[in-house]
Amino acid sequence: MVAAIARDRLDTRIRDAAQLGSLPGLGRIPFDRSAARRGRSPLITDWRDGSERAEAFRKLRTALQFVDVDHPLGVIAVTSSSAAEGKSGVSANLAVAFAEAGHRVVLLDADLRRPSIADYFGVEGAVGLTNVLARQVEPSDVIQSWGDTDRLSIMSAGSIPPNPSELLGSSRMEDLLAKLRAEYDIVLIDTPPLLPVTDAAVISVKVDGVVMIARYGRTKKPAIAHAIGALNAVDAHVVGVVINRVPRKRRRDGYNYYRAQGKSGSGTGTILGSAESPVAHRSPEHAAAGDSRRVTESAIHNDATTSSVVPVR
């Protein structure tokens, strides 16, 4: 028993947002075994079936809409502390969730080192964000509409550059985000992990808020603390953390209710479909400004190796 207690106290792997101190928990995304298979896209294929995973993204969407009603989040960066934590899959499905609710959304692939958004959505990836920042093309030339409606647009990463951080920190990137903010309700940006490179920290000062992704049972508290420290160093607004790939529990009556609601036709419809020709869409200006709140990493560091793991609720 002593050995078991010691093991629990030394285990700093994240299983619950309560382990992260003052960093707010935004949601828990269930693990999808089929989406995790090699070569499979993590996109949810049917949002009308009332699945547990689709409902988790709807809850995340709602959490982001109400996290600060006085300063709505119009431009949101999604990142993680390390690679392979599922940030790109969360970015992609969150974009679809916002579009499903009627928002005009554009998703930017700003992971210029290992881009994946174009593959997930099956759109053209050879020309995109880097080409816009290099002044080779206009944004309207590379924004691609996706789905059965015109509510979701994709800007892929484009050509892999030798200087990602410089491009993302350029005035051209700032101008692009201002333009997209005026044309879309929500601008989502998939960024690289924070610990290996500085790209996400560079972008974080240009957005309204940053969402951190932690992988259940794999991401460790010290890694999250160091990532938050990098964001605090540039005075970024950390909105909260999403626990990704949470093991599924046995289905309860609550989700049977959602499934019944989804099949009955109530709620919003799907926007799924194939990619269409590139086109930019305009909407009224969305004047959202992030506040200056900062999440300190000290609360996460505290007792990183002495506090026991909080059980999954």
Side-chain angles (χ1 to χ4, degrees):
M1 180 176 289
V2 173
I5 294 175
R7 183 180 64 248
D8 287 346
R9 290 183 178 273
L10 293 173
D11 187 358
T12 64
R13 291 175 293 180
I14 302 298
R15 293 180 174 84
D16 193 282
Q19 294 172 263
L20 300 176
S22 61
L23 188 62
L26 296 172
R28 296 165 64 85
I29 308 300
F31 175 60
D32 184 350
R33 188 175 300 277
S34 63
R37 293 172 187 159
R38 185 177 296 276
R40 292 290 300 275
S41 169
L43 282 180
I44 297 173
T45 56
D46 192 349
W47 287 75
R48 294 172 298 181
D49 66 355
S51 71
E52 183 180 359
R53 195 158 175 261
E55 194 59 35
F57 278 105
R58 291 189 181 102
K59 289 180 178 179
L60 174 57
R61 175 189 71 202
T62 301
L64 291 173
Q65 288 175 306
F66 289 96
V67 69
D68 190 344
V69 293
D70 293 327
H71 302 93
L73 301 175
V75 183
I76 306 170
V78 180
T79 188
S80 59
S81 59
S82 305
E85 295 183 339
K87 62 171 184 59
S88 297
V90 172
S91 299
N93 280 302
L94 183 58
V96 178
F98 271 113
E100 180 210 30
H103 301 280
R104 286 193 172 181
V105 185
V106 61
L107 172 61
L108 276 63
D109 192 345
D111 190 342
L112 304 184
R113 301 170 192 268
R114 298 183 62 182
S116 56
I117 296 299
D119 290 339
Y120 289 171
F121 286 92
V123 300
E124 175 59 48
V127 181
L129 176 60
T130 57
N131 306 95
V132 172
L133 299 180
R135 302 181 186 275
Q136 297 172 344
V137 295
E138 292 298 318
S140 58
D141 297 329
V142 297
I143 292 179
Q144 303 174 70
S145 184
W146 187 89
D148 295 337
T149 74
D150 62 355
R151 293 196 297 268
L152 176 57
S153 299
I154 310 294
M155 183 184 288
S156 60
S159 307
I160 304 299
N163 57 339
S165 294
E166 288 79 3
L167 283 177
L168 296 175
S170 66
S171 59
R172 179 72 168 167
M173 181 68 179
E174 201 163 321
D175 293 342
L176 173 63
L177 292 180
K179 176 181 175 63
L180 296 177
R181 183 194 292 275
E183 296 177 351
Y184 294 89
D185 303 319
I186 300 291
V187 180
L188 280 172
I189 311 173
D190 181 42
T191 70
L194 277 157
L195 297 185
V197 293
T198 62
D199 302 10
V202 168
I203 282 190
S204 68
V205 299
K206 303 179 185 299
V207 303
D208 299 335
V210 180
V211 175
M212 288 287 301
I213 307 301
R215 181 170 169 177
Y216 179 98
R218 175 165 173 167
T219 305
K220 296 185 177 181
K221 288 172 68 175
I224 287 282
H226 289 139
I228 295 300
L231 293 173
N232 282 344
V234 296
D235 201 25
H237 174 205
V238 183
V239 180
V241 65
V242 176
I243 310 296
N244 192 34
R245 299 185 64 152
V246 178
R248 291 177 181 269
K249 291 185 176 181
R250 192 171 185 177
R251 186 178 294 276
R252 297 181 179 180
D253 290 340
Y255 280 109
N256 288 336
Y257 167 79
Y258 287 121
R259 179 174 294 276
Q261 290 290 320
K263 288 185 177 179
S264 69
S266 61
T268 55
T270 184
I271 66 162
L272 299 174
S274 59
E276 302 169 9
S277 57
V279 60
H281 303 293
R282 297 184 178 271
S283 66
E285 180 166 352
H286 191 78
D291 62 24
S292 59
R293 292 177 305 164
R294 302 173 68 223
V295 178
T296 59
E297 64 272 26
S298 59
I300 304 173
H301 267 307
N302 287 342
D303 303 324
T305 59
T306 58
S307 60
S308 59
V309 175
V310 177
V312 178
R313 291 190 292 271

